[in-house]
Amino acid sequence: MDVRQLAAFRAVAQTRSITRAAAALGYSQSAVTTQIKGLESVVRARLFERRRDGVRLTASGERFLPYATRLLRLTEEARSAVAPEAVLGGTLTIGASESITTYRLPDVVRLFHAAHPKVRLSLHTFHEGPEAMVAALGRGDIDVALTHSIDPGPTGPATRRLATEELVLVATPDHALARRAAVTTEDLRSAPTLIVQSACVYDTILRTELTAVGPRVVPPLEFGTIEGVKIAALSGHGVALLPRVTVTGLLDTGALVQLPWAPAVTVASYVAWDEEQCDPAMLSAFEAVLDRVAAGWACSPACAEVGSLSA
């Protein structure tokens, strides 16, 4: 068993394709196939099965993946230990929620790349809730996760809370609720609401508030992405609960307005990682940049104190 075999195995497991794994590693497809066959011979188990839609891990492959990931990380740590002054290199794979990818990560990426130009950052956007990213960490698909969550946040891998961010309920200026002096949670039960998907943390928060007064009368409309929700809101299809950072420009121009809804709801941003998987030097460098940028993510102290769901 050697490092090239383990790297080929992990690449195929992550991409579910010999072709894509070969492209990512810079190998030929035949070389990747040879490495996988060699590894299967060493471990004396079949690790993949071929399907029409690609390759999939067998049960043995699923069990072996965490060990392969750990061995590869230990290899990188050993290399760093004997060359502590070496320039950081390699790939850091970051998973993030859509709002963080679009509105928070650009500054992180810019500063990190300026400080560590030899590190390749690979970004994966998740539209599901934080549980999907925690699962991706466990599989070794990503090295670091950045997500919005209701406190106490994701569990399992190591995590750290970064900031409290404000959510706002928005609609077009001519929406019936926009003309109210105050919007109650009861009002929202019969109002069309726009969501990313039911697993999204923003809809989870809205459902939590609505549950206190009764079930929704009108089922929410699901659009798959925050941008889709924003376009639907601009088209007058309903109201949406979103992070303020995602709609600041639209609020500034008056294309959308914040509805006078009483709860001051917030969401917490978290960074999570797998201690056995993430290279300590890479993680330390990333956290240094993240801390510098995340200081500006938090909403006002008043918002953080009043926030009813992530205090």
Side-chain angles (χ1 to χ4, degrees):
M1 186 186 306
D2 65 32
V3 173
R4 288 174 299 177
Q5 291 173 336
L6 294 172
F9 168 73
R10 185 175 64 173
V12 175
Q14 290 175 339
T15 62
R16 299 179 180 180
S17 164
I18 297 290
T19 302
R20 290 193 292 270
L25 294 170
Y27 296 166
S28 66
Q29 293 182 44
S30 60
V32 172
T33 299
T34 299
Q35 297 290 357
I36 296 300
K37 288 181 177 179
L39 182 59
E40 289 178 327
S41 177
V42 171
V43 300
R44 299 179 182 178
R46 187 181 177 199
L47 300 175
F48 292 101
E49 60 180 355
R50 290 186 177 274
R51 297 183 179 181
R52 285 183 298 178
D53 59 344
V55 295
R56 294 291 185 273
L57 288 167
T58 61
S60 296
E62 292 279 3
R63 290 193 296 270
F64 184 68
L65 180 58
Y67 294 98
T69 300
R70 194 178 308 169
L71 288 169
L72 287 168
R73 290 298 173 186
L74 285 172
T75 300
E76 291 299 322
E77 287 183 37
R79 288 171 178 166
S80 297
V82 297
E85 301 304 321
V87 175
L88 277 182
T91 299
L92 182 66
T93 304
I94 303 168
S97 61
E98 182 191 0
S99 60
I100 291 178
T101 297
T102 305
Y103 298 96
R104 297 307 195 190
L105 268 185
D107 284 342
V108 176
V109 170
R110 176 177 56 80
L111 292 173
F112 186 88
H113 182 69
H116 308 285
K118 293 189 178 298
V119 176
R120 175 177 177 269
L121 295 179
S122 177
L123 308 180
H124 296 250
T125 301
F126 288 76
H127 299 287
E128 307 90 343
E131 294 80 7
M133 270 184 273
V134 171
L137 279 173
R139 293 192 303 268
D141 294 347
I142 58 176
D143 300 315
V144 178
L146 288 164
T147 182
H148 281 147
S149 177
I150 303 170
D151 282 335
T155 59
T159 62
R160 187 162 63 84
R161 196 178 191 279
L162 296 171
T164 297
E165 300 198 51
E166 184 182 5
L167 300 181
V168 291
L169 191 70
V170 297
T172 52
D174 59 353
H175 192 282
L177 294 180
R179 296 190 289 272
R180 301 275 187 92
V183 173
T184 67
T185 304
E186 179 65 36
D187 293 330
L188 298 180
R189 289 184 60 223
S190 57
T193 53
L194 315 173
I195 68 171
V196 177
Q197 57 177 267
S198 58
C200 176
V201 66
Y202 315 127
D203 186 54
T204 299
I205 290 174
L206 186 56
R207 284 201 315 271
T208 300
E209 290 288 333
L210 289 174
T211 299
V213 296
R216 281 170 165 153
V217 175
V218 179
L221 299 175
E222 188 173 316
F223 289 88
T225 67
I226 288 177
E227 294 307 305
V229 169
K230 287 164 60 176
I231 291 171
L234 287 167
S235 300
H237 292 308
V239 303
L241 183 67
L242 294 171
R244 178 178 289 278
V245 66
T246 68
V247 291
T248 296
L250 296 173
L251 293 174
D252 288 345
T253 62
L256 292 177
V257 296
Q258 180 178 352
L259 299 180
W261 187 39
V265 282
T266 59
V267 68
S269 52
Y270 278 83
V271 58
W273 64 95
D274 189 318
E275 291 181 317
E276 295 183 349
Q277 172 177 300
C278 203
D279 172 40
M282 191 85 80
L283 177 62
S284 178
F286 181 74
E287 281 199 293
V289 173
L290 188 61
D291 287 344
R292 177 179 171 187
V293 175
W297 294 3
C299 60
S300 67
C303 163
E305 290 174 4
V306 176
S308 59
L309 292 176
S310 61

